[in-house]
Amino acid sequence: MKKLSHALVVLGLLCAGSALAQDAPAADDAASADDAAPKVVTYEPWDQETLDLFATLPVQDGGRVKPLDTYARFALLKINGKWSLDLGEEGKIKEPVAWLLYSLFYPEIAADYHQFIVDNYEAVAAIGIDPGDKKRARYSYNEIAKGAQKLFELDNAYRQKEQADRTTVEQQIINLAENFLQYDQILHYFDFARRTYTAPADSAMGAALTDRGGASLSMLLMRAPEVLKALREEGTSLTPERVNQEAKAIAGVMDELEFVLNPTHGMALIPPPEPSQQAWMTPADMATRAFNVRDLDAASNNPIEMLGLLERLPGLVNDRDAFKKMAAQFHSKVTAAASLRGEYDKVPLEVSFYRMKWIPNSQVLYLISFFIVALSWVFPYNRWWRYATQASVLVPTILLIVGITIRCIIRERPPVSTLYETVLFITACSVATALIIEWMNKERIVIALAAVLGTAGMFLANRYEMKEGVDTMPALIAVLDTNFWLSTHVTTVTFGYAAGMLAGAIAHIYIIGRVLRIRIADRKFYQNVTKMTYGVLCFGLLFSVVGTILGGIWANDSWGRFWGWDPKENGALMICLWSLCVLHAKMGGYIKELGINMGAVIMAIIVTFSWWGVNNLGVGLHSYGFVKGVWFNLFLFWGFEGIVLLAGFALWLMGDTLLPKRAAANPESGHHGKTKKPQTA
Amino acid sequence: MHILKRVVNFLASYGLACVLLFFLLLLTFFGTIEQVDSGLYEVQRKYFESVFVIHEFNDWFHLPLPGVYLLMVLLFINMSLGAIVRAPKSWTRPGMLIAHGGILLLLVSGFVTYEFSTSGHMTLYEGESDDHFQSYYDWNIKIVSLDTDPPMTYTIPGEEFVHMGPSDTRTFFAEKLPFTLLLEGYMPNCAPQQTPPIMAMGVDGVILQPMEMQKDAERNLAGVIATVMERPADASGAAASAHGAASTMQGGDAHVGLLWGMAAAPWIVTVQGQRYAIDLRHDRFPVPFRITLNKFIHQKHPRTGMASNFESRVTMTEGNASRDVEIKMNEPLRHKGFTFFQASFVEDPTNPRAPIASVFSVVKNPADQWPKYACYIIGIGLTIHFLQRLAIYLRAQKKRQSHEKA
């Protein structure tokens, strides 16, 4: 059904004289054989081998060499908001690289995929498209194209505004324009390979290209420097008319190339032959090199052979075996060149990292652990349930730690260098610390919390990744590109955040437990909870203080001052100051159990302000990771924490009457840890 | 004696520590939020370098608070006295004493940095060299007699005129100068503007137009209207070098000029046949060695506009000796108490082929490395303390569990 409907669409396009009708391969010797291939476009699922070939193909994007799989993954995520594409009745494209291949090689079909996610109908209405009755919907390239002119007008106008001043709809229009452009480049990437190049026959360029009725791009780029060189050698002997004629022919070819090669800027698939050149090449770069009259000798270095293989792919798409063979040849050439440059070794690992789904799987398992923990409360004294609970938290934590480690290996960096990575790291650290506490005191209090923190942390990581839709292992700006400081300051201070969040989370057990009168007669239980809160606060203080000062030392080495009152620095300082305040208040006897726990809740508020809030102030040297809409979620969180604090305050006003002061009041629970079985309320 | 003990106990108390820490937290928070509207420089002066501050929540609710400077001093006293009062009881917890020692060192280094450090920048194009750096914010007015041998230089420090209001005037004179200099209409941020000839305003039709203060204070360009009033010959001996003294000197010609922070050249004025250059400029500080920029390297991540590396290759010349040094991001040059950082660069965005200047941030700070030592001390102290506490906790836990088993 799927094949048929797509075939019909293509047939329609063919009849309408679509550009695809010229889907002939390049007209060189090897390609001429492909001319005989049937002109019927099939639309079969890609076999795994083909997908693997393209997934592991290196591409330079965002300042680093990454697998094409990663490129496709984040392009699809950005456009579609998901890592798969639902085609309705026609099924689902599960692999991002498969989506990329359909888009590259069947552009006329892919242009009708409903994939541009628009969260607010006002954004599409603004560009003159009827949004229908859905507030949030996905639109196809062809649908958006109808309002493209208006889209880019609005995009241009809204970009004049500061990001923080844009409305949600304005930002969505900007995002839509960006996604539309990126996808336009993908759809038209192989346009250069779907045509042949000619020049007037009475020119030298024409003579070089028309001997076989038009040349492929690789042939053109191979011959153009020779033509230019010959013309230069002839030099002054040329008549003005001839000069004019030749110039016109060359300019014509160059204009055509500029138009047709523009979309190829999006994907740099060809490693440059010169080891000193960092930037990988696109067909457009190769054309620039071939026509650079100042240095025509450099054109001889153009990796024409790779381009020749690449340009033949669209013409072979209906013969999947031949297509796969050609793709394998291209893959082998590119990976060999990339390996020589030392830029390929991490590519397969990155592909397997995403395919193994270490981090998404840990999210699912944390969620399961949450239910296992809940069930374990039904059988509180069963040893096996205890083991099962611990294992259910331990397994996703191990997956998460393995995932973080693989990321470190791929990027050769410490675990934290982006906002997304702070979420993973803080989740892993807080859950691991909770597990260690559980292992030490076997109270089965924090293990439940670990499941909640793991689930919440991974949910946050997933939301952030989905919302941002950008590579989470990006190249770093110069000042951050230092493994020494990333591994010392950033890791330490992030660990401090993790401890602050964990302390805050444990404190919730105390306050909510007392409000709901859970195990209210068990004073020991609440004492233990407070001990844990206090211990984690102290532990967090060590990391926060050392991390903050290390940050100062880094700043002293990079910006010339130890402390500059930058918002991010201030956030870290506030965590230290509040920890110190709580600890000194406890030492001075001004606060007791309830006070310490309320202090820890306030700590969680401060940590979230420092972690997410200051990034969105839009000032300071650390103002990276601006996330639209983060304030709403922060205020939601702070509102909830405010309610918890109010509840704590109410407990304080009511005095300690709800909690027996002496264990004697509860002879079962006893003093000095003599309890054998904790009492429930 | 009893009162003294009570005062000492109060100053050393945990209660005072809590209050001070809380206020520090509050001011840090307010100072962070206000940076969005006022910029770092203003906030730093208002909250973090002040003794008192009034935080304006809105037009009608203003809250007076102690400034961070005062809080830091009180915290220092609190910690020092706390250590003295409680030290005998704290020998069993050496980690805490060590950590507090580290924090005291940190506070002292902050004080020394604030009071005794000097900072600015040195901006060089390839091939250029300099042995001075200039302040980002502080201004002075230099008067140089061009026709004397050697040229005589007079400096009016910024603190003498930067606090002047738009309608204030101040007059400056020196014993050997044949004129007095009247300054008026000081503007902390302004730009020269041509006015239509028919308006006959300003100096040769140019006025200084006040501009809104920039959040990045180093972008502010000060300006002032200067009037050189020639002194009668018999008054020259009578005038003492009195900075800032108001003058009612009369007689002689008056020359009016505009001094502006970004003027391409000093204002040259001729008085009694002698030429004088008068210039409003940022403070400049000498460096006991010369830095020559040989090459500036500015790399970007491939196919992006994102910087991946800034690096300056310089030659440091001191007397007859010279050596080549690389100054990179996170790898400054430290020599003779001066530190040179690769801070930024200046390029012409309209011309990619134009030369790029390398900007070094230069700091002379006696307490440069003290925070590092403080960090080691605090880290060691806290680690000892928390390991000690953990050991105690684990022992108690073990004991409790063995009781439970029993």
Side-chain angles (χ1 to χ4, degrees), chain B residues 5 9 11 38 55 153 194 237 289 335 348 352 354 387 396:
Chain B
K5 197 178 170 188
N9 280 344
L11 287 174
S38 307
H55 179 71
T153 303
Q194 191 81 40
F289 47 90
H335 187 60
D348 180 356
L387 285 178

Side-chain angles (χ1 to χ4, degrees), chain A residues 77-134:
Chain A
L77 183 63
K78 197 159 176 276
I79 292 168
N80 186 46
K82 288 197 294 188
W83 276 348
S84 58
L85 180 64
D86 199 343
L87 298 177
E89 289 177 5
E90 291 161 21
K92 193 173 186 178
I93 301 177
K94 288 180 185 165
E95 286 230 33
V97 76
W99 162 81
L100 182 67
L101 293 189
Y102 288 132
S103 305
L104 287 170
F105 297 108
Y106 297 99
E108 69 295 337
I109 296 173
D112 283 323
Y113 288 163
H114 284 86
Q115 55 185 327
F116 288 90
I117 180 81
V118 181
D119 287 328
N120 194 321
Y121 69 94
E122 288 175 51
V124 281
I127 60 170
I129 294 170
D130 179 14
D133 53 356
K134 281 187 181 171

Side-chain angles (χ1 to χ4, degrees), chain A residues 71-269:
Chain A
Y71 173 87
R73 199 167 280 279
F74 286 98
L76 178 60
L77 183 63
K78 197 159 176 276
I79 292 168
N80 186 46
K82 288 197 294 188
W83 276 348
S84 58
L85 180 64
D86 199 343
L87 298 177
E89 289 177 5
E90 291 161 21
K92 193 173 186 178
I93 301 177
K94 288 180 185 165
E95 286 230 33
V97 76
W99 162 81
L100 182 67
L101 293 189
Y102 288 132
S103 305
L104 287 170
F105 297 108
Y106 297 99
E108 69 295 337
I109 296 173
D112 283 323
Y113 288 163
H114 284 86
Q115 55 185 327
F116 288 90
I117 180 81
V118 181
D119 287 328
N120 194 321
Y121 69 94
E122 288 175 51
V124 281
I127 60 170
I129 294 170
D130 179 14
D133 53 356
K134 281 187 181 171
K135 189 172 188 296
R136 184 177 196 263
R138 288 184 168 81
Y139 298 86
S140 71
Y141 172 87
N142 281 339
E143 281 172 323
I144 302 288
K146 288 175 195 159
Q149 195 180 345
K150 185 72 181 166
L151 176 67
F152 292 119
E153 275 171 29
L154 292 176
D155 170 63
N156 196 31
Y158 298 151
R159 279 181 191 278
Q160 312 302 320
K161 289 187 176 183
E162 290 286 323
Q163 192 175 13
D165 298 335
R166 294 174 196 151
T167 64
T168 309
V169 171
E170 288 170 354
Q171 187 57 48
Q172 279 178 6
I173 287 176
I174 290 174
N175 293 347
L176 184 61
E178 217 172 87
N179 294 344
F180 183 79
L181 260 186
Q182 184 179 5
Y183 196 62
D184 181 72
Q185 286 193 329
I186 292 173
L187 285 185
H188 294 286
Y189 186 89
F190 277 110
D191 281 2
F192 77 88
R194 295 189 178 104
R195 67 204 297 160
T196 54
Y197 301 85
T198 55
D202 54 357
S203 66
M205 188 64 82
L209 300 181
T210 49
D211 55 350
R212 286 181 182 85
S216 65
L217 181 69
S218 59
M219 191 191 290
L220 165 65
L221 300 189
M222 198 161 61
R223 293 187 176 174
E226 292 163 14
V227 172
L228 293 172
K229 261 186 198 170
L231 286 172
R232 195 166 60 184
E233 276 160 21
E234 284 186 63
T236 49
S237 63
L238 295 171
T239 62
E241 291 76 26
R242 174 83 194 285
V243 168
N244 194 26
Q245 198 177 349
E246 295 295 346
K248 220 168 155 183
I250 293 166
V253 172
M254 286 175 76
D255 283 349
E256 187 182 359
L257 285 179
E258 192 179 347
F259 173 74
V260 85
L261 291 178
N262 192 35
T264 68
H265 283 294
M267 266 188 284
L269 288 165

Side-chain angles (χ1 to χ4, degrees), chain A residues 180-476:
Chain A
F180 183 79
L181 260 186
Q182 184 179 5
Y183 196 62
D184 181 72
Q185 286 193 329
I186 292 173
L187 285 185
H188 294 286
Y189 186 89
F190 277 110
D191 281 2
F192 77 88
R194 295 189 178 104
R195 67 204 297 160
T196 54
Y197 301 85
T198 55
D202 54 357
S203 66
M205 188 64 82
L209 300 181
T210 49
D211 55 350
R212 286 181 182 85
S216 65
L217 181 69
S218 59
M219 191 191 290
L220 165 65
L221 300 189
M222 198 161 61
R223 293 187 176 174
E226 292 163 14
V227 172
L228 293 172
K229 261 186 198 170
L231 286 172
R232 195 166 60 184
E233 276 160 21
E234 284 186 63
T236 49
S237 63
L238 295 171
T239 62
E241 291 76 26
R242 174 83 194 285
V243 168
N244 194 26
Q245 198 177 349
E246 295 295 346
K248 220 168 155 183
I250 293 166
V253 172
M254 286 175 76
D255 283 349
E256 187 182 359
L257 285 179
E258 192 179 347
F259 173 74
V260 85
L261 291 178
N262 192 35
T264 68
H265 283 294
M267 266 188 284
L269 288 165
I270 300 171
E274 300 86 352
S276 61
Q277 185 182 322
Q278 283 193 326
W280 280 36
M281 303 183 80
T282 63
D285 297 327
M286 291 175 65
T288 306
R289 187 181 274 198
F291 282 85
N292 181 7
V293 287
R294 285 191 185 140
D295 189 9
L296 284 172
D297 291 336
S300 58
N301 269 344
N302 244 345
I304 296 288
E305 195 184 353
M306 282 188 237
L307 178 65
L309 297 171
L310 183 69
E311 72 188 358
R312 287 162 66 186
L313 288 171
L316 296 173
V317 75
N318 302 319
D319 179 354
R320 289 294 174 83
D321 285 336
F323 180 84
K324 193 163 44 178
K325 213 170 153 187
M326 190 59 67
Q329 278 186 48
F330 179 68
H331 184 276
S332 133
K333 289 273 175 204
V334 170
T335 52
S339 299
L340 264 179
R341 295 168 57 86
E343 292 177 308
Y344 186 69
D345 53 337
K346 302 288 180 349
V347 168
L349 181 65
E350 190 170 335
V351 175
S352 80
F353 167 75
Y354 282 112
R355 286 187 170 173
M356 291 293 286
K357 297 184 176 173
W358 295 98
I359 289 169
N361 284 341
S362 78
Q363 184 183 3
V364 173
L365 291 177
Y366 272 129
L367 198 64
I368 293 170
S369 79
F370 183 69
F371 290 109
I372 292 177
V373 167
L375 274 177
S376 77
W377 292 335
V378 181
F379 312 101
Y381 307 114
N382 185 310
R383 194 160 48 119
W384 295 107
W385 266 114
R386 197 172 73 204
Y387 293 151
T389 315
Q390 289 174 356
S392 72
V393 178
L394 187 64
V395 172
T397 309
I398 290 172
L399 291 188
L400 179 56
I401 292 171
V402 170
I404 292 173
T405 311
I406 295 175
R407 292 173 66 92
C408 293
I409 295 168
I410 292 169
R411 297 297 293 130
E412 296 176 355
R413 281 202 305 240
V416 185
S417 57
T418 63
L419 201 52
Y420 171 75
E421 285 170 339
T422 62
V423 185
L424 298 183
F425 189 72
I426 286 173
T427 307
C429 288
S430 53
V431 174
T433 309
L435 279 170
I436 292 168
I437 294 173
E438 180 62 31
W439 170 71
M440 286 196 304
N441 69 14
K442 298 181 177 57
E443 295 280 353
R444 289 197 301 158
I445 299 169
V446 284
I447 193 76
L449 211 57
V452 176
L453 282 174
T455 310
M458 297 316 294
F459 174 76
L460 180 63
N462 182 264
R463 273 295 304 269
Y464 181 82
E465 193 174 34
M466 294 293 152
K467 192 171 163 58
E468 292 298 295
V470 292
D471 186 2
T472 57
M473 290 189 265
L476 294 181

